[in-house]
């Protein structure tokens, strides 16, 4: 059995000695572990090149306004979930996985 009682968290530093650690309420609202987004387009080539990269999608993540907002999402996984007509593995839902690799645009 490990003893982690000597480790301090950042919020413990400001807590007075002997006060209980605040706990999450049981049976409350579930925590949302995802953010919705929209597939805007595929990545395009340079000026007048006419290139079109089908393996790289441009996404619009809800709630992000500037390039600096993207820093939290860099490296995070993306799941494109869609409903298919035929069943596979007893489900009509399919998933295509990817990840956030860069910000796009000049804002």
């Amino acid at each position: 059995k490990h003893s982690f009682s000597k480790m301090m968290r950042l919020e413990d530093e400001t807590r007075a000695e002997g006060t209980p650690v605040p706990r999450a309420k049981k049976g409350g609202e579930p925590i949302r572990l995802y953010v919705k987004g929209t597939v805007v387009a595929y990545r395009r080539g340079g000026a007048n090149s006419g290139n079109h990269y089908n393996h790289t999608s441009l996404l619009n993540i809800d709630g992000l306004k500037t390039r600096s907002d993207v820093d939290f999402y860099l490296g995070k996984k993306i799941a494109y979930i869609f409903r298919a007509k035929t069943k596979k593995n007893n489900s009509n839902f399919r998933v295509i996985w990817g990840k956030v690799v860069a910000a796009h645009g000049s804002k």
Side-chain angles (χ1 to χ4, degrees):
K1 190 173 182 180
H2 298 288
S3 174
F4 294 106
S5 61
K6 297 202 183 240
M7 294 174 64
M8 287 185 68
R9 294 182 304 227
L10 188 58
E11 63 265 12
D12 291 341
E13 293 177 8
T14 57
R15 216 167 24 91
E17 189 72 32
T19 50
V21 177
R23 301 279 180 204
K25 292 181 182 178
K26 290 186 179 182
E29 290 287 319
I31 298 172
R32 183 172 52 101
L33 297 175
Y34 63 91
V35 175
K36 289 189 176 184
T38 308
V39 177
V40 179
Y42 291 116
R43 192 184 84 182
R44 299 172 301 278
N48 301 322
S49 71
N51 289 343
H52 188 86
Y53 300 93
N54 293 339
H55 62 280
T56 306
S57 295
L58 301 177
L59 303 176
N60 195 355
I61 300 174
D62 293 352
L64 302 186
K65 300 291 182 203
T66 63
R67 287 179 69 95
S68 59
D69 295 342
V70 178
D71 292 344
F72 173 77
Y73 293 98
L74 292 177
K76 300 281 195 296
K77 289 286 196 176
I78 299 270
Y80 175 67
I81 303 171
F82 60 98
R83 189 185 306 238
K85 196 171 189 178
T86 58
K87 283 193 172 193
K88 269 191 181 177
N89 297 331
N90 211 16
S91 174
N92 284 66
F93 291 101
R94 310 280 166 80
V95 180
I96 299 174
W97 289 95
K99 67 179 173 180
V100 179
V101 294
H104 177 75
S106 59
K107 292 182 183 178

